[in-house]
Amino acid sequence: MWRYGGNTPCLDLTAPDGTRFVLDCGTGLRMLGNRWASTEGDRPLQAHVLVTHYHWDHIQGIPFFRPFYLPQNGFHFYSFQSKYLGRGSLRQVLEAQLARPYFPVDLSLMHAGREFSEITGGDQFEVNGTKVTARWLNHPQGCLGYRLETPAGTIVYATDNEPGIPEMDKNLRELAAGADVLINDAQCSPEQLASTRKGWGHSSWLEGVKLARECGVKNLVLFHHDPDSSDRVVDGYLYAARQEFPNTWAATDGMGIQLQDHHAEFKLRESRVGQRRPVHFSATVSGRSQDGVQFQEYAVLKELNVRGGYLWLSHSPQLQSQMNIRVDCGTSGHPNQIVLRASVVHCDVGRDKDRVGVGVTFIDDTEAALPLD
Ligand SMILES: [Zn+2]
Ligand SMILES: [Zn+2]
């Protein structure tokens, strides 16, 4: 989860006129609340919250969303009437999550204005110039897919859907038609989808690729990664999908998409975490350019981020203590030392009679380092 992240579904979308939408309320909602607090401060916020369905992974961020507790804010929620909950389903879900003993504070502290609209697959409505279309998708206990048409472009959010029911497949194709960005479920591998995961209500990268091709989609985003999929598994899905449909992306925590005149620009959150150090190493780089052509060139590596290391010591450091490690490297006239602050995470005692194998992770922020005793 280092690169793709591990939060459950939550997206925020700002239309060109500034109208805010939130799509689903998974654990990512907590991060969104923190981000709004840092960018908006105490300014009043209004947002339209579109919920696809009531499975935990799509609602469990609700109690942890700070803006819900501030009286100056207002939220308009949209979702469907569940046959298990009846009228006011979404309101009930919200109240139940804040009921005792599941959470320390109750609904009376949720001071933000709340409005609820019950919608259904087939509905279409407009919010300040953004056209929203909802359609039923094939998922246990129901799920809505959303298409949002803004003056800058069209985004389709189709998570939690499994192909194979003709009527629902048609719904999905209607939603996806000509979209600039299609965010589609890609939880399973095509093999799992055909066998062990059949009936789970999820899809694969291959289904996304077929859909994107058939419907004239410009960009495909693989979404709803399996919690058991490592970064490498997701890398594999993305690689396979790009062989068939080059404009494919894998959803990442904090990923941003800027749409302008129907052109999408993708941006990843800062993921070069760890100790960042200036270096001057010559390098040979081989890769693939945007048009798919392979290239190789010489370059200078200007900065290096390091996360951890392993070394032999004659001393035995205490587990969870900190050390300084000065590494000599580089070429003359350029930075030739890297000083790293490390936290001891592993000790191999007894493998070698004179030395201890020590595993360390490097600490992000030198200012946060504790004094050495
Ligand atoms: Zn679900
Ligand atoms: Zn889900």
Side-chain angles (χ1 to χ4, degrees):
M1 289 171 195
W2 186 260
R3 278 179 290 122
Y4 293 111
N7 276 296
T8 71
C10 174
L11 293 80
D12 83 297
L13 184 150
T14 308
D17 74 316
T19 303
R20 289 170 191 274
F21 294 87
V22 175
L23 306 168
D24 272 336
C25 298
T27 60
L29 190 63
R30 200 184 69 89
M31 280 166 69
L32 179 62
N34 292 346
R35 204 177 73 214
W36 281 358
S38 70
T39 57
E40 307 299 320
D42 290 336
R43 255 179 293 167
L45 289 164
Q46 306 286 326
H48 299 265
V49 185
L50 308 173
V51 176
T52 58
H53 65 307
Y54 304 112
H55 287 162
W56 277 116
D57 52 321
H58 298 259
I59 57 162
Q60 66 199 141
I62 289 173
F64 305 96
F65 188 54
R66 216 186 303 180
F68 283 158
Y69 297 92
L70 304 175
Q72 66 269 35
N73 298 337
F75 295 93
H76 191 151
F77 294 90
Y78 305 75
S79 195
F80 63 90
Q81 191 180 116
S82 160
K83 73 173 179 189
Y84 302 94
L85 294 169
R87 271 178 68 108
S89 292
L90 187 55
R91 187 193 294 266
Q92 288 182 53
V93 162
L94 212 123
E95 286 170 5
Q97 285 202 64
L98 291 171
R100 290 171 188 167
Y102 302 114
F103 203 66
V105 302
D106 64 27
L107 203 66
S108 67
L109 287 173
M110 218 177 230
H111 294 301
R114 294 186 296 275
E115 213 181 312
F116 294 88
S117 289
E118 231 141 33
I119 56 170
T120 176
D123 276 1
Q124 198 167 68
F125 51 97
E126 209 173 293
V127 183
N128 304 335
T130 295
K131 198 164 101 186
V132 182
T133 306
R135 288 278 185 280
W136 291 118
L137 301 177
N138 178 33
H139 194 64
Q141 296 133 31
C143 179
L144 289 174
Y146 293 104
R147 174 185 174 100
L148 291 103
E149 292 168 63
T150 80
T154 295
I155 296 219
V156 174
Y157 178 51
T159 186
D160 297 64
N161 71 83
E162 181 171 343
I165 307 268
E167 187 198 334
M168 307 279 190
D169 290 352
K170 187 169 156 268
N171 285 348
L172 184 55
R173 274 156 181 74
E174 276 173 26
L175 283 180
D180 297 297
V181 178
L182 166 66
I183 300 164
N184 194 58
D185 194 299
Q187 188 177 40
C188 338
S189 67
E191 297 73 27
Q192 287 172 325
L193 185 61
S195 58
T196 52
R197 294 288 179 91
K198 215 178 160 72
W200 285 39
H202 292 285
S203 193
S204 74
W205 63 264
L206 184 58
E207 292 298 327
V209 162
K210 283 190 218 159
L211 189 65
R213 276 212 199 113
E214 269 175 48
C215 301
V217 164
K218 291 205 196 118
N219 294 277
L220 169 68
V221 180
L222 309 179
F223 190 74
H224 208 297
H225 309 310
D226 192 294
D228 284 330
S229 287
S230 64
D231 280 346
R232 284 180 73 161
V233 171
V234 179
D235 284 344
Y237 293 165
L238 178 62
Y239 181 82
R242 279 189 170 174
Q243 304 296 308
E244 313 276 330
F245 192 79
N247 280 359
T248 305
W249 316 83
T252 302
D253 267 359
M255 176 188 246
I257 307 170
Q258 174 100 38
L259 260 179
Q260 203 165 12
D261 299 328
H262 301 270
H263 174 77
E265 202 71 65
F266 286 74
K267 233 185 174 168
L268 297 181
R269 66 166 171 176
E270 182 58 82
S271 61
R272 293 186 298 138
V273 290
Q275 291 246 14
R276 191 178 291 192
R277 287 291 180 273
V279 294
H280 194 92
F281 296 157
S282 39
T284 309
V285 183
S286 8
R288 197 182 285 275
S289 62
Q290 282 193 41
D291 48 15
V293 180
Q294 293 213 356
F295 69 81
Q296 182 168 334
E297 66 172 276
Y298 297 105
V300 173
L301 191 66
K302 306 282 286 176
E303 195 184 271
L304 200 62
N305 284 54
V306 281
R307 286 174 56 193
Y310 189 81
L311 58 165
W312 289 102
L313 294 178
S314 57
H315 297 85
S316 182
Q318 188 181 19
L319 206 60
Q320 295 185 321
S321 68
Q322 295 187 3
M323 306 191 297
N324 284 333
I325 302 176
R326 202 188 67 212
V327 186
D328 298 308
C329 48
T331 50
S332 60
H334 293 290
N336 57 4
Q337 270 187 357
I338 310 179
V339 181
L340 298 158
R341 183 69 162 194
S343 174
V344 178
V345 294
H346 182 82
C347 277
D348 282 328
V349 191
R351 274 230 222 142
D352 182 288
K353 94 176 148 39
D354 300 320
R355 295 176 304 171
V356 182
V358 178
V360 295
T361 56
F362 298 121
I363 297 162
D364 286 8
D365 181 0
T366 17
E367 281 171 28
L370 297 167
L372 290 173
D373 292 327

